[in-house]
Amino acid sequence: MSRQSLAPSRRQALALGAAFVALPAGAAALPAPDPILARIVTHKRLMEPVRACPAVTEDDEERLAVLVRTADHGYAEMLGTAPTSLAGLYALVSYVEGSGQGGVRRDLPLGTQETEDGVTYEDLFLAALRRSLAQLCGEARP
């Protein structure tokens, strides 16, 4: 059995370098990460203290109300963010649906809550899905 080196020859390395230099600027750049993934992680982090708060005393209830408002704001930001990749789109729908958690999320309702501007979470979610799908399909529509 012959042992063939996996390292490129000097000629191959020079050819690869020349091809790389000839690429238009930005052609070799990695795609930007989907912003929805960071929003989902942020919302999960905001929900941890909400779920951990006992809400037994009046002080606990006040603290819980502040935590819920903060988490709700993060949820609205997440729902208003259009995924830029199929993986991000799937992650958002799965998170909102509650996949792996027994089905539809009861703790993160869509249609019953509104932002400070009076927009329902469901409207935010559907608008983000529409923008994402339009972008991913290449059919940007108003």
PDB file of all heavy atoms in Angstrom, residues 108-140:
ATOM      1  N   LEU A 108     -45.841  30.531  26.438  1.00  0.00           N
ATOM      2  CA  LEU A 108     -45.461  31.565  25.483  1.00  0.00           C
ATOM      3  C   LEU A 108     -46.562  31.725  24.436  1.00  0.00           C
ATOM      4  O   LEU A 108     -46.408  31.367  23.280  1.00  0.00           O
ATOM      5  CB  LEU A 108     -44.138  31.190  24.799  1.00  0.00           C
ATOM      6  CG  LEU A 108     -42.947  30.936  25.714  1.00  0.00           C
ATOM      7  CD1 LEU A 108     -41.760  30.460  24.908  1.00  0.00           C
ATOM      8  CD2 LEU A 108     -42.605  32.193  26.496  1.00  0.00           C
ATOM      9  N   PRO A 109     -47.704  32.286  24.831  1.00  0.00           N
ATOM     10  CA  PRO A 109     -48.821  32.393  23.894  1.00  0.00           C
ATOM     11  C   PRO A 109     -48.537  33.388  22.780  1.00  0.00           C
ATOM     12  O   PRO A 109     -47.783  34.324  22.951  1.00  0.00           O
ATOM     13  CB  PRO A 109     -49.965  32.876  24.782  1.00  0.00           C
ATOM     14  CG  PRO A 109     -49.304  33.595  25.899  1.00  0.00           C
ATOM     15  CD  PRO A 109     -48.000  32.876  26.129  1.00  0.00           C
ATOM     16  N   LEU A 110     -49.172  33.170  21.640  1.00  0.00           N
ATOM     17  CA  LEU A 110     -48.999  34.062  20.503  1.00  0.00           C
ATOM     18  C   LEU A 110     -50.157  35.047  20.357  1.00  0.00           C
ATOM     19  O   LEU A 110     -49.950  36.234  20.237  1.00  0.00           O
ATOM     20  CB  LEU A 110     -48.883  33.249  19.203  1.00  0.00           C
ATOM     21  CG  LEU A 110     -47.556  32.570  18.942  1.00  0.00           C
ATOM     22  CD1 LEU A 110     -47.629  31.751  17.667  1.00  0.00           C
ATOM     23  CD2 LEU A 110     -46.445  33.574  18.854  1.00  0.00           C
ATOM     24  N   GLY A 111     -51.362  34.560  20.341  1.00  0.00           N
ATOM     25  CA  GLY A 111     -52.505  35.402  20.007  1.00  0.00           C
ATOM     26  C   GLY A 111     -53.070  36.227  21.134  1.00  0.00           C
ATOM     27  O   GLY A 111     -53.778  37.189  20.898  1.00  0.00           O
ATOM     28  N   THR A 112     -52.757  35.895  22.367  1.00  0.00           N
ATOM     29  CA  THR A 112     -53.400  36.580  23.483  1.00  0.00           C
ATOM     30  C   THR A 112     -52.603  37.740  24.043  1.00  0.00           C
ATOM     31  O   THR A 112     -53.140  38.542  24.788  1.00  0.00           O
ATOM     32  CB  THR A 112     -53.669  35.587  24.632  1.00  0.00           C
ATOM     33  OG1 THR A 112     -52.426  35.011  25.045  1.00  0.00           O
ATOM     34  CG2 THR A 112     -54.619  34.497  24.194  1.00  0.00           C
ATOM     35  N   GLN A 113     -51.332  37.836  23.691  1.00  0.00           N
ATOM     36  CA  GLN A 113     -50.512  38.920  24.226  1.00  0.00           C
ATOM     37  C   GLN A 113     -50.182  39.921  23.139  1.00  0.00           C
ATOM     38  O   GLN A 113     -50.120  39.591  21.960  1.00  0.00           O
ATOM     39  CB  GLN A 113     -49.224  38.376  24.831  1.00  0.00           C
ATOM     40  CG  GLN A 113     -49.462  37.673  26.151  1.00  0.00           C
ATOM     41  CD  GLN A 113     -48.156  37.273  26.791  1.00  0.00           C
ATOM     42  OE1 GLN A 113     -47.580  36.284  26.382  1.00  0.00           O
ATOM     43  NE2 GLN A 113     -47.709  38.039  27.758  1.00  0.00           N
ATOM     44  N   GLU A 114     -49.956  41.167  23.575  1.00  0.00           N
ATOM     45  CA  GLU A 114     -49.624  42.238  22.652  1.00  0.00           C
ATOM     46  C   GLU A 114     -48.386  42.969  23.126  1.00  0.00           C
ATOM     47  O   GLU A 114     -48.083  42.996  24.321  1.00  0.00           O
ATOM     48  CB  GLU A 114     -50.776  43.245  22.563  1.00  0.00           C
ATOM     49  CG  GLU A 114     -52.045  42.676  21.990  1.00  0.00           C
ATOM     50  CD  GLU A 114     -53.151  43.717  21.914  1.00  0.00           C
ATOM     51  OE1 GLU A 114     -52.995  44.831  22.485  1.00  0.00           O
ATOM     52  OE2 GLU A 114     -54.178  43.420  21.284  1.00  0.00           O
ATOM     53  N   THR A 115     -47.707  43.614  22.166  1.00  0.00           N
ATOM     54  CA  THR A 115     -46.585  44.473  22.500  1.00  0.00           C
ATOM     55  C   THR A 115     -47.143  45.785  23.042  1.00  0.00           C
ATOM     56  O   THR A 115     -48.360  46.007  23.038  1.00  0.00           O
ATOM     57  CB  THR A 115     -45.723  44.778  21.261  1.00  0.00           C
ATOM     58  OG1 THR A 115     -46.497  45.549  20.344  1.00  0.00           O
ATOM     59  CG2 THR A 115     -45.237  43.496  20.604  1.00  0.00           C
ATOM     60  N   GLU A 116     -46.252  46.675  23.468  1.00  0.00           N
ATOM     61  CA  GLU A 116     -46.688  47.983  23.953  1.00  0.00           C
ATOM     62  C   GLU A 116     -47.371  48.781  22.846  1.00  0.00           C
ATOM     63  O   GLU A 116     -48.152  49.684  23.115  1.00  0.00           O
ATOM     64  CB  GLU A 116     -45.490  48.753  24.506  1.00  0.00           C
ATOM     65  CG  GLU A 116     -44.918  48.120  25.754  1.00  0.00           C
ATOM     66  CD  GLU A 116     -43.602  48.757  26.187  1.00  0.00           C
ATOM     67  OE1 GLU A 116     -43.102  49.660  25.487  1.00  0.00           O
ATOM     68  OE2 GLU A 116     -43.082  48.330  27.216  1.00  0.00           O
ATOM     69  N   ASP A 117     -47.079  48.442  21.593  1.00  0.00           N
ATOM     70  CA  ASP A 117     -47.689  49.121  20.443  1.00  0.00           C
ATOM     71  C   ASP A 117     -49.033  48.520  20.045  1.00  0.00           C
ATOM     72  O   ASP A 117     -49.638  48.950  19.064  1.00  0.00           O
ATOM     73  CB  ASP A 117     -46.749  49.070  19.235  1.00  0.00           C
ATOM     74  CG  ASP A 117     -45.422  49.752  19.518  1.00  0.00           C
ATOM     75  OD1 ASP A 117     -45.391  50.677  20.353  1.00  0.00           O
ATOM     76  OD2 ASP A 117     -44.416  49.349  18.905  1.00  0.00           O
ATOM     77  N   GLY A 118     -49.483  47.489  20.754  1.00  0.00           N
ATOM     78  CA  GLY A 118     -50.771  46.875  20.456  1.00  0.00           C
ATOM     79  C   GLY A 118     -50.737  45.823  19.368  1.00  0.00           C
ATOM     80  O   GLY A 118     -51.778  45.422  18.863  1.00  0.00           O
ATOM     81  N   VAL A 119     -49.564  45.374  18.983  1.00  0.00           N
ATOM     82  CA  VAL A 119     -49.428  44.333  17.960  1.00  0.00           C
ATOM     83  C   VAL A 119     -49.388  42.983  18.667  1.00  0.00           C
ATOM     84  O   VAL A 119     -48.628  42.800  19.622  1.00  0.00           O
ATOM     85  CB  VAL A 119     -48.132  44.539  17.138  1.00  0.00           C
ATOM     86  CG1 VAL A 119     -47.980  43.452  16.091  1.00  0.00           C
ATOM     87  CG2 VAL A 119     -48.118  45.912  16.494  1.00  0.00           C
ATOM     88  N   THR A 120     -50.202  42.039  18.226  1.00  0.00           N
ATOM     89  CA  THR A 120     -50.188  40.733  18.888  1.00  0.00           C
ATOM     90  C   THR A 120     -48.906  39.985  18.552  1.00  0.00           C
ATOM     91  O   THR A 120     -48.286  40.204  17.508  1.00  0.00           O
ATOM     92  CB  THR A 120     -51.384  39.846  18.467  1.00  0.00           C
ATOM     93  OG1 THR A 120     -51.233  39.480  17.103  1.00  0.00           O
ATOM     94  CG2 THR A 120     -52.707  40.520  18.727  1.00  0.00           C
ATOM     95  N   TYR A 121     -48.529  39.109  19.444  1.00  0.00           N
ATOM     96  CA  TYR A 121     -47.344  38.283  19.215  1.00  0.00           C
ATOM     97  C   TYR A 121     -47.547  37.419  17.971  1.00  0.00           C
ATOM     98  O   TYR A 121     -46.622  37.179  17.225  1.00  0.00           O
ATOM     99  CB  TYR A 121     -47.071  37.404  20.427  1.00  0.00           C
ATOM    100  CG  TYR A 121     -46.470  38.142  21.607  1.00  0.00           C
ATOM    101  CD1 TYR A 121     -46.266  39.510  21.594  1.00  0.00           C
ATOM    102  CD2 TYR A 121     -46.091  37.457  22.741  1.00  0.00           C
ATOM    103  CE1 TYR A 121     -45.722  40.170  22.663  1.00  0.00           C
ATOM    104  CE2 TYR A 121     -45.529  38.109  23.818  1.00  0.00           C
ATOM    105  CZ  TYR A 121     -45.344  39.462  23.782  1.00  0.00           C
ATOM    106  OH  TYR A 121     -44.782  40.113  24.840  1.00  0.00           O
ATOM    107  N   GLU A 122     -48.784  37.003  17.767  1.00  0.00           N
ATOM    108  CA  GLU A 122     -49.084  36.200  16.589  1.00  0.00           C
ATOM    109  C   GLU A 122     -48.819  36.993  15.308  1.00  0.00           C
ATOM    110  O   GLU A 122     -48.240  36.475  14.350  1.00  0.00           O
ATOM    111  CB  GLU A 122     -50.532  35.729  16.627  1.00  0.00           C
ATOM    112  CG  GLU A 122     -50.914  34.847  15.469  1.00  0.00           C
ATOM    113  CD  GLU A 122     -52.342  34.327  15.587  1.00  0.00           C
ATOM    114  OE1 GLU A 122     -53.177  34.980  16.247  1.00  0.00           O
ATOM    115  OE2 GLU A 122     -52.604  33.272  15.010  1.00  0.00           O
ATOM    116  N   ASP A 123     -49.212  38.274  15.288  1.00  0.00           N
ATOM    117  CA  ASP A 123     -48.962  39.117  14.116  1.00  0.00           C
ATOM    118  C   ASP A 123     -47.465  39.295  13.882  1.00  0.00           C
ATOM    119  O   ASP A 123     -46.997  39.260  12.743  1.00  0.00           O
ATOM    120  CB  ASP A 123     -49.644  40.473  14.265  1.00  0.00           C
ATOM    121  CG  ASP A 123     -51.155  40.392  14.142  1.00  0.00           C
ATOM    122  OD1 ASP A 123     -51.661  39.392  13.567  1.00  0.00           O
ATOM    123  OD2 ASP A 123     -51.839  41.315  14.621  1.00  0.00           O
ATOM    124  N   LEU A 124     -46.699  39.513  14.960  1.00  0.00           N
ATOM    125  CA  LEU A 124     -45.247  39.626  14.831  1.00  0.00           C
ATOM    126  C   LEU A 124     -44.651  38.360  14.229  1.00  0.00           C
ATOM    127  O   LEU A 124     -43.819  38.420  13.321  1.00  0.00           O
ATOM    128  CB  LEU A 124     -44.606  39.859  16.201  1.00  0.00           C
ATOM    129  CG  LEU A 124     -44.684  41.246  16.810  1.00  0.00           C
ATOM    130  CD1 LEU A 124     -44.133  41.222  18.232  1.00  0.00           C
ATOM    131  CD2 LEU A 124     -43.933  42.247  15.961  1.00  0.00           C
ATOM    132  N   PHE A 125     -45.079  37.237  14.761  1.00  0.00           N
ATOM    133  CA  PHE A 125     -44.567  35.932  14.323  1.00  0.00           C
ATOM    134  C   PHE A 125     -44.877  35.689  12.848  1.00  0.00           C
ATOM    135  O   PHE A 125     -43.995  35.345  12.063  1.00  0.00           O
ATOM    136  CB  PHE A 125     -45.194  34.848  15.206  1.00  0.00           C
ATOM    137  CG  PHE A 125     -44.800  33.444  14.876  1.00  0.00           C
ATOM    138  CD1 PHE A 125     -43.490  33.018  14.998  1.00  0.00           C
ATOM    139  CD2 PHE A 125     -45.751  32.528  14.459  1.00  0.00           C
ATOM    140  CE1 PHE A 125     -43.129  31.710  14.714  1.00  0.00           C
ATOM    141  CE2 PHE A 125     -45.407  31.217  14.173  1.00  0.00           C
ATOM    142  CZ  PHE A 125     -44.084  30.811  14.309  1.00  0.00           C
ATOM    143  N   LEU A 126     -46.117  35.912  12.464  1.00  0.00           N
ATOM    144  CA  LEU A 126     -46.516  35.670  11.068  1.00  0.00           C
ATOM    145  C   LEU A 126     -45.817  36.632  10.106  1.00  0.00           C
ATOM    146  O   LEU A 126     -45.409  36.228   9.016  1.00  0.00           O
ATOM    147  CB  LEU A 126     -48.032  35.756  10.930  1.00  0.00           C
ATOM    148  CG  LEU A 126     -48.804  34.636  11.630  1.00  0.00           C
ATOM    149  CD1 LEU A 126     -50.306  34.905  11.559  1.00  0.00           C
ATOM    150  CD2 LEU A 126     -48.461  33.279  11.051  1.00  0.00           C
ATOM    151  N   ALA A 127     -45.648  37.879  10.508  1.00  0.00           N
ATOM    152  CA  ALA A 127     -44.947  38.839   9.652  1.00  0.00           C
ATOM    153  C   ALA A 127     -43.485  38.425   9.474  1.00  0.00           C
ATOM    154  O   ALA A 127     -42.936  38.521   8.370  1.00  0.00           O
ATOM    155  CB  ALA A 127     -45.037  40.249  10.242  1.00  0.00           C
ATOM    156  N   ALA A 128     -42.845  37.969  10.553  1.00  0.00           N
ATOM    157  CA  ALA A 128     -41.458  37.514  10.450  1.00  0.00           C
ATOM    158  C   ALA A 128     -41.359  36.285   9.549  1.00  0.00           C
ATOM    159  O   ALA A 128     -40.428  36.176   8.740  1.00  0.00           O
ATOM    160  CB  ALA A 128     -40.893  37.200  11.841  1.00  0.00           C
ATOM    161  N   LEU A 129     -42.315  35.375   9.657  1.00  0.00           N
ATOM    162  CA  LEU A 129     -42.314  34.197   8.792  1.00  0.00           C
ATOM    163  C   LEU A 129     -42.482  34.590   7.330  1.00  0.00           C
ATOM    164  O   LEU A 129     -41.791  34.070   6.452  1.00  0.00           O
ATOM    165  CB  LEU A 129     -43.423  33.220   9.198  1.00  0.00           C
ATOM    166  CG  LEU A 129     -43.266  32.515  10.543  1.00  0.00           C
ATOM    167  CD1 LEU A 129     -44.437  31.571  10.774  1.00  0.00           C
ATOM    168  CD2 LEU A 129     -41.952  31.780  10.634  1.00  0.00           C
ATOM    169  N   ARG A 130     -43.391  35.530   7.069  1.00  0.00           N
ATOM    170  CA  ARG A 130     -43.601  35.995   5.692  1.00  0.00           C
ATOM    171  C   ARG A 130     -42.327  36.617   5.122  1.00  0.00           C
ATOM    172  O   ARG A 130     -41.929  36.319   3.995  1.00  0.00           O
ATOM    173  CB  ARG A 130     -44.737  37.023   5.629  1.00  0.00           C
ATOM    174  CG  ARG A 130     -46.105  36.441   5.373  1.00  0.00           C
ATOM    175  CD  ARG A 130     -47.126  37.522   5.037  1.00  0.00           C
ATOM    176  NE  ARG A 130     -47.222  38.584   6.022  1.00  0.00           N
ATOM    177  CZ  ARG A 130     -47.936  38.506   7.150  1.00  0.00           C
ATOM    178  NH1 ARG A 130     -48.619  37.413   7.426  1.00  0.00           N
ATOM    179  NH2 ARG A 130     -47.974  39.510   7.985  1.00  0.00           N
ATOM    180  N   ARG A 131     -41.670  37.496   5.907  1.00  0.00           N
ATOM    181  CA  ARG A 131     -40.431  38.138   5.433  1.00  0.00           C
ATOM    182  C   ARG A 131     -39.356  37.100   5.181  1.00  0.00           C
ATOM    183  O   ARG A 131     -38.643  37.145   4.176  1.00  0.00           O
ATOM    184  CB  ARG A 131     -39.935  39.171   6.451  1.00  0.00           C
ATOM    185  CG  ARG A 131     -40.758  40.433   6.509  1.00  0.00           C
ATOM    186  CD  ARG A 131     -40.084  41.535   7.310  1.00  0.00           C
ATOM    187  NE  ARG A 131     -39.480  41.152   8.562  1.00  0.00           N
ATOM    188  CZ  ARG A 131     -40.125  41.079   9.735  1.00  0.00           C
ATOM    189  NH1 ARG A 131     -41.417  41.362   9.786  1.00  0.00           N
ATOM    190  NH2 ARG A 131     -39.498  40.726  10.831  1.00  0.00           N
ATOM    191  N   SER A 132     -39.241  36.161   6.089  1.00  0.00           N
ATOM    192  CA  SER A 132     -38.221  35.125   5.960  1.00  0.00           C
ATOM    193  C   SER A 132     -38.462  34.263   4.735  1.00  0.00           C
ATOM    194  O   SER A 132     -37.551  34.018   3.937  1.00  0.00           O
ATOM    195  CB  SER A 132     -38.200  34.254   7.214  1.00  0.00           C
ATOM    196  OG  SER A 132     -37.216  33.257   7.116  1.00  0.00           O
ATOM    197  N   LEU A 133     -39.682  33.814   4.564  1.00  0.00           N
ATOM    198  CA  LEU A 133     -40.003  32.967   3.416  1.00  0.00           C
ATOM    199  C   LEU A 133     -39.821  33.722   2.101  1.00  0.00           C
ATOM    200  O   LEU A 133     -39.321  33.167   1.121  1.00  0.00           O
ATOM    201  CB  LEU A 133     -41.427  32.420   3.529  1.00  0.00           C
ATOM    202  CG  LEU A 133     -41.614  31.346   4.596  1.00  0.00           C
ATOM    203  CD1 LEU A 133     -43.098  31.057   4.811  1.00  0.00           C
ATOM    204  CD2 LEU A 133     -40.869  30.083   4.217  1.00  0.00           C
ATOM    205  N   ALA A 134     -40.200  34.997   2.064  1.00  0.00           N
ATOM    206  CA  ALA A 134     -40.020  35.802   0.854  1.00  0.00           C
ATOM    207  C   ALA A 134     -38.539  35.910   0.515  1.00  0.00           C
ATOM    208  O   ALA A 134     -38.139  35.761  -0.641  1.00  0.00           O
ATOM    209  CB  ALA A 134     -40.629  37.185   1.037  1.00  0.00           C
ATOM    210  N   GLN A 135     -37.731  36.143   1.538  1.00  0.00           N
ATOM    211  CA  GLN A 135     -36.289  36.258   1.307  1.00  0.00           C
ATOM    212  C   GLN A 135     -35.717  34.927   0.854  1.00  0.00           C
ATOM    213  O   GLN A 135     -34.961  34.860  -0.106  1.00  0.00           O
ATOM    214  CB  GLN A 135     -35.593  36.712   2.577  1.00  0.00           C
ATOM    215  CG  GLN A 135     -34.088  36.752   2.442  1.00  0.00           C
ATOM    216  CD  GLN A 135     -33.381  36.937   3.770  1.00  0.00           C
ATOM    217  OE1 GLN A 135     -33.994  37.300   4.756  1.00  0.00           O
ATOM    218  NE2 GLN A 135     -32.099  36.670   3.797  1.00  0.00           N
ATOM    219  N   LEU A 136     -36.076  33.865   1.548  1.00  0.00           N
ATOM    220  CA  LEU A 136     -35.524  32.556   1.225  1.00  0.00           C
ATOM    221  C   LEU A 136     -35.985  32.063  -0.144  1.00  0.00           C
ATOM    222  O   LEU A 136     -35.272  31.338  -0.827  1.00  0.00           O
ATOM    223  CB  LEU A 136     -35.884  31.544   2.314  1.00  0.00           C
ATOM    224  CG  LEU A 136     -35.203  31.783   3.671  1.00  0.00           C
ATOM    225  CD1 LEU A 136     -35.802  30.852   4.731  1.00  0.00           C
ATOM    226  CD2 LEU A 136     -33.704  31.594   3.571  1.00  0.00           C
ATOM    227  N   CYS A 137     -37.164  32.438  -0.558  1.00  0.00           N
ATOM    228  CA  CYS A 137     -37.668  32.036  -1.870  1.00  0.00           C
ATOM    229  C   CYS A 137     -37.248  33.004  -2.976  1.00  0.00           C
ATOM    230  O   CYS A 137     -37.482  32.745  -4.152  1.00  0.00           O
ATOM    231  CB  CYS A 137     -39.199  31.942  -1.855  1.00  0.00           C
ATOM    232  SG  CYS A 137     -39.822  30.644  -0.802  1.00  0.00           S
ATOM    233  N   GLY A 138     -36.673  34.128  -2.593  1.00  0.00           N
ATOM    234  CA  GLY A 138     -36.250  35.089  -3.588  1.00  0.00           C
ATOM    235  C   GLY A 138     -37.399  35.846  -4.206  1.00  0.00           C
ATOM    236  O   GLY A 138     -37.298  36.362  -5.315  1.00  0.00           O
ATOM    237  N   GLU A 139     -38.519  35.894  -3.503  1.00  0.00           N
ATOM    238  CA  GLU A 139     -39.713  36.573  -4.022  1.00  0.00           C
ATOM    239  C   GLU A 139     -40.127  37.686  -3.077  1.00  0.00           C
ATOM    240  O   GLU A 139     -41.226  37.695  -2.548  1.00  0.00           O
ATOM    241  CB  GLU A 139     -40.864  35.584  -4.158  1.00  0.00           C
ATOM    242  CG  GLU A 139     -40.589  34.449  -5.113  1.00  0.00           C
ATOM    243  CD  GLU A 139     -41.726  33.435  -5.078  1.00  0.00           C
ATOM    244  OE1 GLU A 139     -42.764  33.696  -4.443  1.00  0.00           O
ATOM    245  OE2 GLU A 139     -41.555  32.387  -5.696  1.00  0.00           O
ATOM    246  N   ALA A 140     -39.241  38.622  -2.824  1.00  0.00           N
ATOM    247  CA  ALA A 140     -39.538  39.701  -1.904  1.00  0.00           C
ATOM    248  C   ALA A 140     -40.754  40.476  -2.386  1.00  0.00           C
ATOM    249  O   ALA A 140     -40.775  40.989  -3.494  1.00  0.00           O
ATOM    250  CB  ALA A 140     -38.340  40.631  -1.772  1.00  0.00           C
TER     251      ALA A 140
END
